Amino acid sequence: MRATQYMLHFVVSYIFASYASAFIQIHNGNLYEQKQIKISTFKLFSDLDEEVCAALTIWVCGATACANRRRKLGMDEFATVGALYGRKEQAGAKGLVVEEGSCLGRCKSAPCVAVEHEDYEGHVALEGMSDAEFGDQLFHNVVTEDDCDRVWECVENAIHQLAEMEDDDDDE
């Protein structure tokens, strides 16, 4: 009886990506099988600045149009808020708030997600948003896990950038 050998080859293309690709090569006798899997990298970035996180709130629209769109897609009414809260917890973003709120004003783009920073009035636009989203200062059509990943990656990137700005201010 031959032992099965496993080899992992990690390929990370973006340091702030939510997933890294990994290839598993399984050797069983003379036969090789290769599979690609995704490995979450959220836990790798638990160095999120607590003060910056505490200044941010992620608002998930819970108004009628967004709730109806989720229901039509067969989603739980709390699927979006739950998915983003899970990413926040997994990343160790202490102080960051994820809440369901009232209408965000873009019912035709439902379901929507917005981000607020306590130092700015209203919602903020983040790097990584589409042009339309950037103009509206909120994420449109957040329905899939990939959509939630994109929202979280934008938020996480903003946390890192704001922390760097604070560090630069402290150095001066």
Side-chain angles (χ1 to χ4, degrees):
M1 186 196 266
R2 292 186 179 158
T4 303
Q5 298 175 359
Y6 297 94
M7 279 196 303
L8 275 163
H9 301 280
F10 292 96
V11 178
V12 180
S13 54
Y14 299 101
I15 193 158
F16 291 111
S18 62
Y19 292 96
S21 294
F23 293 93
I24 297 179
Q25 194 172 58
I26 303 169
H27 181 271
N28 191 356
N30 292 332
L31 197 58
Y32 282 94
E33 181 181 347
Q34 186 166 322
K35 293 182 180 179
Q36 182 177 10
I37 60 171
K38 283 183 170 183
I39 297 174
S40 175
T41 59
F42 285 129
K43 293 217 182 232
L44 296 176
F45 301 109
S46 61
D47 63 333
L48 298 176
D49 187 293
E50 212 171 316
E51 283 184 42
V52 174
C53 289
L56 295 172
T57 301
I58 298 174
W59 289 101
V60 177
C61 183
T64 305
C66 290
N68 286 343
R69 177 90 192 281
R70 283 187 199 92
R71 192 173 20 262
K72 285 178 186 174
L73 294 169
M75 298 170 67
D76 179 82
E77 70 179 288
F78 301 111
T80 310
V81 74
L84 291 170
Y85 185 83
R87 284 159 177 77
K88 166 227 182 280
E89 287 295 303
Q90 196 171 19
K94 295 178 185 170
L96 187 137
V97 177
V98 178
E99 289 191 8
E100 184 174 47
S102 60
C103 184
L104 296 174
R106 283 287 176 227
C107 299
K108 290 182 181 180
S109 301
C112 298
V113 174
V115 178
E116 285 184 354
H117 188 284
E118 66 183 20
D119 293 343
Y120 301 95
E121 190 170 321
H123 305 130
V124 294
L126 301 177
E127 188 175 306
M129 289 179 153
S130 70
D131 290 341
E133 291 172 335
F134 199 87
D136 291 341
Q137 296 179 327
L138 53 89
F139 293 94
H140 300 162
N141 302 309
V142 182
V143 293
T144 67
E145 287 297 317
D146 287 341
D147 295 333
C148 289
D149 285 342
R150 185 175 68 87
V151 170
W152 180 253
E153 287 169 8
C154 292
V155 170
E156 190 173 49
N157 183 48
I159 293 167
H160 285 288
Q161 288 181 355
L162 289 166
E164 285 177 21
M165 288 171 46
E166 283 185 3
D167 287 345
D168 290 344
D169 290 344
D170 291 342
D171 291 342
E172 293 175 0

